[in-house]
Amino acid sequence: MVAAIFVYMGLGLITGLLAGMLGIGGGSVVVPALVFVFARQHLAPGLAMKLAIGTSLASILFTSLAAIRAQQKRRAIDWSVAAPLGVATLVGSLASGYLAGFLPGVLLKEIFGVFLVLVGLQVFADWRPAGHWRLPARPGLMGVGLGIGALSAILGIGGGSLTVPFLTACNVDMRRAIAISATLGLPIALFGAAGFVLSGQYRAGLPPGAFGYVYLPALAGLTTVAMLVVPVGVHLAHNLPVAQLKRVFGVLLIGVGVQMLFGA
C-alpha cells in the first residue's frame, strides 16, 4: 500500500505538469497507470478500468481548478468561448459518465487503447489542423462542447486532446486554446466523475476506500502533488518550447495504447 501511494504521488506530478503545460488533464497517463496498479491489487480487469477512469476524472477536477487559477492570473482565458463550451460539456459528461459505468470494462479498455494510439500519433507529429475555420456561433459551440464532454467522460480525460485541435482549426492562438481547454476540464471532470460515482454505487467487489467508481486513496495521492505543480506547467507553457517533449510524450502514448489493445 505504501508503494502504491508513492505511485499515486508520482502520477500527480506528471498530471499537474501536463495540465498546466499542454492543456491535457493527464488522463491519458493516469488511466493506464491506475489500471496497472489496480491489477497488482488483484482487481478484476473490468472493474480496474472503471475505477481508473472514475478516479482520473475526479483528479482532473482538482488539477483543472489549479490550472484555471494560474491561467486567469495571466488573463489568458477567453470566457466568451469557454463559457458556452463549458455549459455544454457538463451536460455531455454527466450523461456519458453515468452510462459508461454500465459498459463492459473490456470495451472501455479497447476504446481507450485506440484513443491513445490516435492521440499519440497526433502529438508525435505535432499535427495541428489548418486554421481554415472560424469559431461557430454559440449554438455551434455548445454542440461541439456536448460532444467533447461526452467522449472525455467515457475516456477519463480532461478533453484537451479534443478541445485544443478544434480551437486551433478555428484560428485560435495555441496558448489561448490551451487556457480554454484547461477551463473545460472542470465541468468535464466534475460531472463525469459524478456519473461514475452514481453508476458504481451498488457495484459488488469494490475495494475499501472506493466511492462508486472513484478510489479515494489514489485520488488523494494524485491531487496533493498535482495541484502544487500545475503553476509550474503553466509557467513552462508560456516560456519554453515544448516540441521535443511532445514527441517523447507521443511515443509513450502510442506504446501504452498498443499495450492496452493487445496486452493481457
Side-chain angles (χ1 to χ4, degrees):
M1 185 63 184
V2 174
I5 291 296
F6 281 108
V7 170
Y8 301 147
M9 293 177 71
L11 286 175
L13 175 65
I14 297 170
T15 300
L17 288 174
L18 291 175
M21 185 163 52
L22 302 179
I24 297 173
S28 52
V29 173
V30 171
V31 172
L34 287 180
V35 168
F36 178 82
V37 174
F38 292 156
R40 297 304 177 272
Q41 296 176 1
H42 307 294
L43 295 179
L47 179 57
M49 188 67 197
K50 293 179 182 180
L51 273 174
I53 293 175
T55 304
S56 173
L57 286 167
S59 70
I60 292 169
L61 170 62
F62 294 93
T63 56
S64 293
L65 284 170
I68 290 171
R69 183 169 179 267
Q71 294 284 7
Q72 185 62 19
K73 281 185 176 181
R74 295 176 177 268
R75 300 186 182 277
I77 301 173
D78 185 343
W79 290 104
S80 67
V81 178
L85 279 174
V87 170
T89 56
L90 68 85
V91 176
S93 58
L94 177 59
S96 181
Y98 180 74
L99 294 175
F102 297 101
L103 293 176
V106 173
L107 176 60
L108 290 176
K109 185 177 180 181
E110 291 173 350
I111 293 172
F112 194 85
V114 171
F115 167 78
L116 282 187
V117 172
L118 293 176
V119 172
L121 289 170
Q122 183 266 325
V123 171
F124 177 79
D126 198 21
W127 175 81
R128 301 175 188 176
H132 295 318
W133 303 342
R134 300 180 67 179
L135 280 172
R138 184 176 291 261
L141 280 176
M142 295 187 73
V144 171
L146 190 67
I148 290 173
L151 185 55
S152 298
I154 286 180
L155 298 169
I157 62 174
S161 54
L162 305 173
T163 306
V164 172
F166 164 71
L167 292 175
T168 302
C170 294
N171 279 298
V172 176
D173 174 75
M174 178 58 68
R175 287 190 174 90
R176 185 170 156 230
I178 290 173
I180 294 171
S181 171
T183 305
L184 296 187
L186 179 61
I188 289 171
L190 176 60
F191 287 86
F196 272 89
V197 167
L198 291 173
S199 62
Q201 278 297 296
Y202 302 104
R203 173 66 155 85
L206 289 171
F211 182 47
Y213 287 122
V214 175
Y215 188 52
L216 297 180
L219 177 62
L222 278 166
T223 56
T224 299
V225 178
M227 292 185 69
L228 295 176
V229 299
V230 163
V232 178
V234 171
H235 174 79
L236 293 174
H238 285 267
N239 293 277
L240 294 177
V242 294
Q244 291 184 340
L245 175 62
K246 288 183 74 173
R247 289 192 180 93
V248 174
F249 184 52
V251 171
L252 172 65
L253 292 182
I254 294 168
V256 174
V258 169
Q259 195 280 330
M260 293 193 77
L261 284 170
F262 302 106

